[in-house]
Amino acid sequence: MNNSKSLSQTITVEVILFMTSKELLYVEDALGHEQYFQTKCNEIISSVSDSELKSSVQSMAGKHQEIFNSFLNLLG
């Protein structure tokens, strides 16, 4: 039997089926917020000259990327 779906695709479908529409909207909203935070961090990084501040904001941007990836992984 040749099944074209991978295991990860099957798991993704199963996870999404177990999430309510409200939960999916929450994840979508959270992804949007994390993208917004990353955008704002990148704007600040490009506009500041203080290297210590720039480094701190780069760290924050990296953390928001990690959070974004965590939410994205909920969807597969």
Side-chain angles (χ1 to χ4, degrees):
M1 180 176 173
N2 185 4
N3 189 348
S4 62
K5 283 187 179 180
S6 71
L7 179 59
S8 65
Q9 288 172 321
T10 302
I11 292 170
T12 300
V13 170
E14 290 175 2
V15 168
I16 291 173
L17 289 176
F18 289 118
M19 294 179 85
T20 66
S21 59
K22 190 170 187 172
E23 290 168 330
L24 287 171
L25 287 172
Y26 173 77
V27 172
E28 180 182 2
D29 199 33
L31 287 168
H33 289 168
E34 291 306 321
Q35 282 182 319
Y36 173 79
F37 294 142
Q38 287 177 56
T39 299
K40 290 300 171 186
C41 285
N42 289 330
E43 288 174 5
I44 293 168
I45 290 166
S46 66
S47 67
V48 298
S49 57
D50 182 274
S51 61
E52 189 174 334
L53 179 58
K54 188 175 283 203
S55 177
S56 293
V57 177
Q58 286 171 330
S59 177
M60 288 172 51
K63 185 63 178 173
H64 285 296
Q65 181 64 51
E66 290 174 21
I67 295 169
F68 178 89
N69 291 340
S70 294
F71 279 113
L72 193 59
N73 286 336
L74 290 174
L75 303 176

mmCIF file with all atom_site columns, all heavy atoms in Angstrom, residues 42-56:
data_model
loop_
_atom_site.group_PDB
_atom_site.id
_atom_site.type_symbol
_atom_site.label_atom_id
_atom_site.label_alt_id
_atom_site.label_comp_id
_atom_site.label_asym_id
_atom_site.label_entity_id
_atom_site.label_seq_id
_atom_site.pdbx_PDB_ins_code
_atom_site.Cartn_x
_atom_site.Cartn_y
_atom_site.Cartn_z
_atom_site.occupancy
_atom_site.B_iso_or_equiv
_atom_site.pdbx_formal_charge
_atom_site.auth_seq_id
_atom_site.auth_comp_id
_atom_site.auth_asym_id
_atom_site.auth_atom_id
_atom_site.pdbx_PDB_model_num
ATOM 1   N N   . ASN A 1 42 ? 13.094 44.402 14.791 1.00 0.00 ? 42 ASN A N   1
ATOM 2   C CA  . ASN A 1 42 ? 13.983 44.648 13.652 1.00 0.00 ? 42 ASN A CA  1
ATOM 3   C C   . ASN A 1 42 ? 14.035 46.122 13.282 1.00 0.00 ? 42 ASN A C   1
ATOM 4   O O   . ASN A 1 42 ? 15.089 46.629 12.884 1.00 0.00 ? 42 ASN A O   1
ATOM 5   C CB  . ASN A 1 42 ? 13.569 43.778 12.461 1.00 0.00 ? 42 ASN A CB  1
ATOM 6   C CG  . ASN A 1 42 ? 13.889 42.326 12.692 1.00 0.00 ? 42 ASN A CG  1
ATOM 7   O OD1 . ASN A 1 42 ? 14.837 41.983 13.395 1.00 0.00 ? 42 ASN A OD1 1
ATOM 8   N ND2 . ASN A 1 42 ? 13.095 41.450 12.109 1.00 0.00 ? 42 ASN A ND2 1
ATOM 9   N N   . GLU A 1 43 ? 12.913 46.823 13.419 1.00 0.00 ? 43 GLU A N   1
ATOM 10  C CA  . GLU A 1 43 ? 12.907 48.268 13.167 1.00 0.00 ? 43 GLU A CA  1
ATOM 11  C C   . GLU A 1 43 ? 13.811 48.988 14.170 1.00 0.00 ? 43 GLU A C   1
ATOM 12  O O   . GLU A 1 43 ? 14.572 49.885 13.797 1.00 0.00 ? 43 GLU A O   1
ATOM 13  C CB  . GLU A 1 43 ? 11.486 48.825 13.255 1.00 0.00 ? 43 GLU A CB  1
ATOM 14  C CG  . GLU A 1 43 ? 10.596 48.434 12.099 1.00 0.00 ? 43 GLU A CG  1
ATOM 15  C CD  . GLU A 1 43 ? 9.155  48.891 12.296 1.00 0.00 ? 43 GLU A CD  1
ATOM 16  O OE1 . GLU A 1 43 ? 8.848  49.603 13.285 1.00 0.00 ? 43 GLU A OE1 1
ATOM 17  O OE2 . GLU A 1 43 ? 8.316  48.518 11.457 1.00 0.00 ? 43 GLU A OE2 1
ATOM 18  N N   . ILE A 1 44 ? 13.723 48.587 15.425 1.00 0.00 ? 44 ILE A N   1
ATOM 19  C CA  . ILE A 1 44 ? 14.552 49.210 16.458 1.00 0.00 ? 44 ILE A CA  1
ATOM 20  C C   . ILE A 1 44 ? 16.027 48.896 16.217 1.00 0.00 ? 44 ILE A C   1
ATOM 21  O O   . ILE A 1 44 ? 16.888 49.771 16.327 1.00 0.00 ? 44 ILE A O   1
ATOM 22  C CB  . ILE A 1 44 ? 14.101 48.758 17.862 1.00 0.00 ? 44 ILE A CB  1
ATOM 23  C CG1 . ILE A 1 44 ? 12.706 49.318 18.147 1.00 0.00 ? 44 ILE A CG1 1
ATOM 24  C CG2 . ILE A 1 44 ? 15.093 49.195 18.931 1.00 0.00 ? 44 ILE A CG2 1
ATOM 25  C CD1 . ILE A 1 44 ? 12.034 48.707 19.364 1.00 0.00 ? 44 ILE A CD1 1
ATOM 26  N N   . ILE A 1 45 ? 16.321 47.640 15.881 1.00 0.00 ? 45 ILE A N   1
ATOM 27  C CA  . ILE A 1 45 ? 17.708 47.227 15.625 1.00 0.00 ? 45 ILE A CA  1
ATOM 28  C C   . ILE A 1 45 ? 18.331 48.096 14.539 1.00 0.00 ? 45 ILE A C   1
ATOM 29  O O   . ILE A 1 45 ? 19.485 48.521 14.651 1.00 0.00 ? 45 ILE A O   1
ATOM 30  C CB  . ILE A 1 45 ? 17.772 45.732 15.236 1.00 0.00 ? 45 ILE A CB  1
ATOM 31  C CG1 . ILE A 1 45 ? 17.456 44.859 16.463 1.00 0.00 ? 45 ILE A CG1 1
ATOM 32  C CG2 . ILE A 1 45 ? 19.129 45.365 14.656 1.00 0.00 ? 45 ILE A CG2 1
ATOM 33  C CD1 . ILE A 1 45 ? 17.169 43.403 16.126 1.00 0.00 ? 45 ILE A CD1 1
ATOM 34  N N   . SER A 1 46 ? 17.557 48.378 13.503 1.00 0.00 ? 46 SER A N   1
ATOM 35  C CA  . SER A 1 46 ? 18.111 49.162 12.394 1.00 0.00 ? 46 SER A CA  1
ATOM 36  C C   . SER A 1 46 ? 18.200 50.654 12.704 1.00 0.00 ? 46 SER A C   1
ATOM 37  O O   . SER A 1 46 ? 18.882 51.386 11.991 1.00 0.00 ? 46 SER A O   1
ATOM 38  C CB  . SER A 1 46 ? 17.282 48.938 11.124 1.00 0.00 ? 46 SER A CB  1
ATOM 39  O OG  . SER A 1 46 ? 15.987 49.464 11.282 1.00 0.00 ? 46 SER A OG  1
ATOM 40  N N   . SER A 1 47 ? 17.539 51.088 13.782 1.00 0.00 ? 47 SER A N   1
ATOM 41  C CA  . SER A 1 47 ? 17.535 52.529 14.054 1.00 0.00 ? 47 SER A CA  1
ATOM 42  C C   . SER A 1 47 ? 18.397 52.955 15.241 1.00 0.00 ? 47 SER A C   1
ATOM 43  O O   . SER A 1 47 ? 18.579 54.150 15.448 1.00 0.00 ? 47 SER A O   1
ATOM 44  C CB  . SER A 1 47 ? 16.099 53.009 14.276 1.00 0.00 ? 47 SER A CB  1
ATOM 45  O OG  . SER A 1 47 ? 15.582 52.461 15.469 1.00 0.00 ? 47 SER A OG  1
ATOM 46  N N   . VAL A 1 48 ? 18.914 52.016 16.020 1.00 0.00 ? 48 VAL A N   1
ATOM 47  C CA  . VAL A 1 48 ? 19.722 52.401 17.183 1.00 0.00 ? 48 VAL A CA  1
ATOM 48  C C   . VAL A 1 48 ? 21.209 52.215 16.887 1.00 0.00 ? 48 VAL A C   1
ATOM 49  O O   . VAL A 1 48 ? 21.601 51.369 16.096 1.00 0.00 ? 48 VAL A O   1
ATOM 50  C CB  . VAL A 1 48 ? 19.348 51.603 18.459 1.00 0.00 ? 48 VAL A CB  1
ATOM 51  C CG1 . VAL A 1 48 ? 17.913 51.870 18.850 1.00 0.00 ? 48 VAL A CG1 1
ATOM 52  C CG2 . VAL A 1 48 ? 19.596 50.138 18.308 1.00 0.00 ? 48 VAL A CG2 1
ATOM 53  N N   . SER A 1 49 ? 21.999 53.042 17.526 1.00 0.00 ? 49 SER A N   1
ATOM 54  C CA  . SER A 1 49 ? 23.444 52.940 17.326 1.00 0.00 ? 49 SER A CA  1
ATOM 55  C C   . SER A 1 49 ? 24.158 52.346 18.540 1.00 0.00 ? 49 SER A C   1
ATOM 56  O O   . SER A 1 49 ? 25.277 51.854 18.422 1.00 0.00 ? 49 SER A O   1
ATOM 57  C CB  . SER A 1 49 ? 24.025 54.309 16.998 1.00 0.00 ? 49 SER A CB  1
ATOM 58  O OG  . SER A 1 49 ? 23.721 55.220 18.029 1.00 0.00 ? 49 SER A OG  1
ATOM 59  N N   . ASP A 1 50 ? 23.501 52.372 19.686 1.00 0.00 ? 50 ASP A N   1
ATOM 60  C CA  . ASP A 1 50 ? 24.100 51.825 20.903 1.00 0.00 ? 50 ASP A CA  1
ATOM 61  C C   . ASP A 1 50 ? 24.208 50.299 20.774 1.00 0.00 ? 50 ASP A C   1
ATOM 62  O O   . ASP A 1 50 ? 23.202 49.600 20.627 1.00 0.00 ? 50 ASP A O   1
ATOM 63  C CB  . ASP A 1 50 ? 23.230 52.200 22.108 1.00 0.00 ? 50 ASP A CB  1
ATOM 64  C CG  . ASP A 1 50 ? 23.826 51.710 23.409 1.00 0.00 ? 50 ASP A CG  1
ATOM 65  O OD1 . ASP A 1 50 ? 23.562 50.537 23.771 1.00 0.00 ? 50 ASP A OD1 1
ATOM 66  O OD2 . ASP A 1 50 ? 24.544 52.494 24.059 1.00 0.00 ? 50 ASP A OD2 1
ATOM 67  N N   . SER A 1 51 ? 25.426 49.786 20.822 1.00 0.00 ? 51 SER A N   1
ATOM 68  C CA  . SER A 1 51 ? 25.643 48.354 20.580 1.00 0.00 ? 51 SER A CA  1
ATOM 69  C C   . SER A 1 51 ? 25.037 47.476 21.671 1.00 0.00 ? 51 SER A C   1
ATOM 70  O O   . SER A 1 51 ? 24.555 46.375 21.382 1.00 0.00 ? 51 SER A O   1
ATOM 71  C CB  . SER A 1 51 ? 27.137 48.060 20.426 1.00 0.00 ? 51 SER A CB  1
ATOM 72  O OG  . SER A 1 51 ? 27.831 48.398 21.609 1.00 0.00 ? 51 SER A OG  1
ATOM 73  N N   . GLU A 1 52 ? 25.032 47.945 22.910 1.00 0.00 ? 52 GLU A N   1
ATOM 74  C CA  . GLU A 1 52 ? 24.446 47.152 24.001 1.00 0.00 ? 52 GLU A CA  1
ATOM 75  C C   . GLU A 1 52 ? 22.928 47.053 23.843 1.00 0.00 ? 52 GLU A C   1
ATOM 76  O O   . GLU A 1 52 ? 22.341 45.969 24.006 1.00 0.00 ? 52 GLU A O   1
ATOM 77  C CB  . GLU A 1 52 ? 24.803 47.770 25.347 1.00 0.00 ? 52 GLU A CB  1
ATOM 78  C CG  . GLU A 1 52 ? 24.434 46.894 26.528 1.00 0.00 ? 52 GLU A CG  1
ATOM 79  C CD  . GLU A 1 52 ? 24.935 47.468 27.851 1.00 0.00 ? 52 GLU A CD  1
ATOM 80  O OE1 . GLU A 1 52 ? 25.935 48.222 27.863 1.00 0.00 ? 52 GLU A OE1 1
ATOM 81  O OE2 . GLU A 1 52 ? 24.304 47.161 28.856 1.00 0.00 ? 52 GLU A OE2 1
ATOM 82  N N   . LEU A 1 53 ? 22.313 48.170 23.511 1.00 0.00 ? 53 LEU A N   1
ATOM 83  C CA  . LEU A 1 53 ? 20.870 48.176 23.285 1.00 0.00 ? 53 LEU A CA  1
ATOM 84  C C   . LEU A 1 53 ? 20.523 47.315 22.073 1.00 0.00 ? 53 LEU A C   1
ATOM 85  O O   . LEU A 1 53 ? 19.570 46.522 22.102 1.00 0.00 ? 53 LEU A O   1
ATOM 86  C CB  . LEU A 1 53 ? 20.365 49.606 23.098 1.00 0.00 ? 53 LEU A CB  1
ATOM 87  C CG  . LEU A 1 53 ? 18.873 49.776 22.823 1.00 0.00 ? 53 LEU A CG  1
ATOM 88  C CD1 . LEU A 1 53 ? 18.036 49.170 23.952 1.00 0.00 ? 53 LEU A CD1 1
ATOM 89  C CD2 . LEU A 1 53 ? 18.538 51.244 22.649 1.00 0.00 ? 53 LEU A CD2 1
ATOM 90  N N   . LYS A 1 54 ? 21.299 47.462 21.009 1.00 0.00 ? 54 LYS A N   1
ATOM 91  C CA  . LYS A 1 54 ? 21.067 46.679 19.795 1.00 0.00 ? 54 LYS A CA  1
ATOM 92  C C   . LYS A 1 54 ? 21.156 45.183 20.102 1.00 0.00 ? 54 LYS A C   1
ATOM 93  O O   . LYS A 1 54 ? 20.321 44.391 19.656 1.00 0.00 ? 54 LYS A O   1
ATOM 94  C CB  . LYS A 1 54 ? 22.072 47.060 18.714 1.00 0.00 ? 54 LYS A CB  1
ATOM 95  C CG  . LYS A 1 54 ? 21.791 46.431 17.362 1.00 0.00 ? 54 LYS A CG  1
ATOM 96  C CD  . LYS A 1 54 ? 22.749 46.935 16.302 1.00 0.00 ? 54 LYS A CD  1
ATOM 97  C CE  . LYS A 1 54 ? 22.311 48.311 15.889 1.00 0.00 ? 54 LYS A CE  1
ATOM 98  N NZ  . LYS A 1 54 ? 22.765 48.719 14.569 1.00 0.00 ? 54 LYS A NZ  1
ATOM 99  N N   . SER A 1 55 ? 22.145 44.800 20.891 1.00 0.00 ? 55 SER A N   1
ATOM 100 C CA  . SER A 1 55 ? 22.312 43.397 21.265 1.00 0.00 ? 55 SER A CA  1
ATOM 101 C C   . SER A 1 55 ? 21.123 42.883 22.075 1.00 0.00 ? 55 SER A C   1
ATOM 102 O O   . SER A 1 55 ? 20.650 41.756 21.857 1.00 0.00 ? 55 SER A O   1
ATOM 103 C CB  . SER A 1 55 ? 23.606 43.231 22.056 1.00 0.00 ? 55 SER A CB  1
ATOM 104 O OG  . SER A 1 55 ? 23.759 41.905 22.490 1.00 0.00 ? 55 SER A OG  1
ATOM 105 N N   . SER A 1 56 ? 20.639 43.697 22.980 1.00 0.00 ? 56 SER A N   1
ATOM 106 C CA  . SER A 1 56 ? 19.471 43.312 23.791 1.00 0.00 ? 56 SER A CA  1
ATOM 107 C C   . SER A 1 56 ? 18.237 43.110 22.925 1.00 0.00 ? 56 SER A C   1
ATOM 108 O O   . SER A 1 56 ? 17.485 42.145 23.099 1.00 0.00 ? 56 SER A O   1
ATOM 109 C CB  . SER A 1 56 ? 19.182 44.368 24.851 1.00 0.00 ? 56 SER A CB  1
ATOM 110 O OG  . SER A 1 56 ? 20.209 44.413 25.800 1.00 0.00 ? 56 SER A OG  1
#
